[in-house]
Amino acid sequence: MTISVISENTGATYTGVLDTTLYEFDPTSPFYNTATQMEVSSKTVGDRGHVILEFTGLSNISSSDTVSAVDLELNVITGTSSQGISIYELLTVPTYGQASWNNRLTATAWTTAGALNSTDANTTPLETQTEAGNTTPLNFTSTNLKNLVQTKVTAGAVLRLLICRSNDVAYDSSGVVFHSSEGTDTLRPKLTVTHTAGGPTSYYLSDTVEM
């Protein structure tokens, strides 16, 4: 059994994490590599924040390995208590440095601005966790997430996620701010994957010959 940590934190097994916030209040500006924070919020009409997060480093795990557990950890800087935070599989491929609330890359729009729609994302949450109103990390460990990671490992593919308030239209002046992959070392997003080496199935061949 092997435990691999994918993160931009010092000491991670593999690097390869990208993230950015899509801000509705500034819908055409990309914020990749310019912010040490990620924001998931639903403040007022016209002022929401969605996060896109991907783990390219997942491809370092052998495609034949079996995944038995995962833990996606997001470290909170500040947040209002009792907010549900949901993670979804992102289906379309953004370009970091170009992705904004309106566009997934320059001059190519999301199907619906903010990416929370059935073309750009699987709108059934993989998991929802509740922010406690302090700096306690949020950890996502669901079977749904584990199964998705297994699918990506087997395919040698990138894990792409969309993170939103579970009530995306709450408009309650609230949000959660997380450390980003450019944020404080040791507090950056990390995906911990527990996996076991795969291999061919062994068969016992009997010496007995049936007549």
Side-chain angles (χ1 to χ4, degrees):
M1 183 177 68
T2 302
I3 298 176
S4 297
V5 177
I6 303 164
S7 179
E8 298 301 317
N9 288 323
T10 299
T13 314
Y14 306 114
T15 57
V17 183
L18 299 170
D19 58 65
T20 195
T21 302
L22 312 177
Y23 284 110
E24 189 176 20
F25 75 87
D26 193 355
T28 60
S29 296
F31 289 89
Y32 170 66
N33 210 25
T34 62
T36 58
Q37 302 176 353
M38 310 182 297
E39 181 179 314
V40 177
S41 59
S42 178
K43 295 178 180 178
T44 61
V45 175
D47 190 359
R48 289 174 290 175
H50 295 172
V51 167
I52 53 175
L53 172 65
E54 69 177 53
F55 292 88
T56 61
L58 194 63
S59 62
N60 289 286
I61 298 176
S62 172
S63 62
S64 63
D65 281 13
T66 299
V67 175
S68 57
V70 298
D71 183 347
L72 170 64
E73 181 173 289
L74 303 177
N75 281 284
V76 177
I77 297 173
T78 184
T80 308
S81 63
S82 302
Q83 294 179 74
I85 304 297
S86 295
I87 59 171
Y88 305 85
E89 181 186 4
L90 186 65
L91 301 176
T92 52
V93 181
T95 296
Y96 288 82
Q98 299 178 22
S100 64
W101 181 266
N102 284 354
N103 294 334
R104 63 183 180 87
L105 62 150
T106 302
T108 301
W110 301 104
T111 300
T112 302
L116 186 57
N117 63 83
S118 59
T119 299
D120 292 318
N122 184 334
T123 54
T124 300
L126 293 162
E127 186 175 351
T128 298
Q129 290 289 337
T130 301
E131 159 59 17
N134 53 37
T135 57
T136 302
L138 289 186
N139 292 85
F140 298 86
T141 60
S142 69
T143 299
N144 288 335
L145 179 59
K146 176 184 74 71
N147 291 343
L148 178 60
V149 169
Q150 177 70 77
T151 298
K152 300 302 182 183
V153 165
T154 301
V158 173
L159 175 67
R160 295 186 174 92
L161 300 172
L162 173 68
I163 309 172
C164 307
R165 290 274 304 274
S166 57
N167 182 358
D168 190 50
V169 292
Y171 303 136
D172 56 3
S173 302
S174 298
V176 180
V177 178
F178 300 98
H179 291 273
S180 76
S181 58
E182 293 86 33
T184 303
D185 195 9
T186 73
L187 296 176
R188 297 164 181 163
K190 67 178 180 180
L191 180 68
T192 302
V193 182
T194 304
H195 53 105
T196 305
T201 303
S202 298
Y203 297 95
Y204 172 73
L205 299 179
S206 172
D207 290 334
T208 304
V209 177
E210 293 186 6
M211 302 299 292

